[in-house]
Amino acid sequence: MKLNPKRAIQTGEAVSLAMTLAVCVLIGFIGGRWIGGKLGNADLGTVIGLMIGVFAAAWELIKTVRKMNAGGSNDERSEP
C-alpha cells in the first residue's frame, strides 16, 4: 500500500483542526466557569466563556477553510 503524501497532509490538517476546535470550546468553558466563580456568578461566566470559546473555534475554522481553498484553487482552475 502506497502512502499518498497529499492525502496524509490533508488528514493531518483535519485532525489538527478537530483538536483545535475542541480545545477552544473546552478552554472557553473551563475559563468562563473559573472566572464566573471568582466574580460570584459561575453560570453566567460559563455561558460567556463558552460563547467566547465557540467564537474562537469558528474563527479558526474559517481561517483554515480559507487557507485550504486558497491552496487548492490553483489546482482546480483551468482556463481554456
Side-chain angles (χ1 to χ4, degrees):
M1 177 182 227
K2 187 175 180 182
L3 181 64
N4 183 349
K6 187 174 181 179
R7 178 72 131 204
I9 290 171
Q10 290 173 341
T11 302
E13 288 178 352
V15 170
S16 175
L17 179 62
M19 292 299 292
T20 301
L21 298 180
V23 168
C24 285
V25 173
L26 185 64
I27 288 174
F29 175 79
I30 292 171
R33 186 104 179 140
W34 180 75
I35 290 173
K38 293 286 183 189
L39 297 177
N41 194 346
D43 293 335
L44 181 61
T46 302
V47 170
I48 292 173
L50 192 59
M51 288 172 47
I52 291 171
V54 168
F55 176 76
W59 183 255
E60 187 63 31
L61 177 65
I62 290 168
K63 286 187 343 184
T64 302
V65 167
R66 284 183 180 170
K67 184 177 88 172
M68 288 178 156
N69 282 340
S73 64
N74 293 337
D75 297 338
E76 295 173 4
R77 282 189 192 164
S78 60
E79 296 190 22

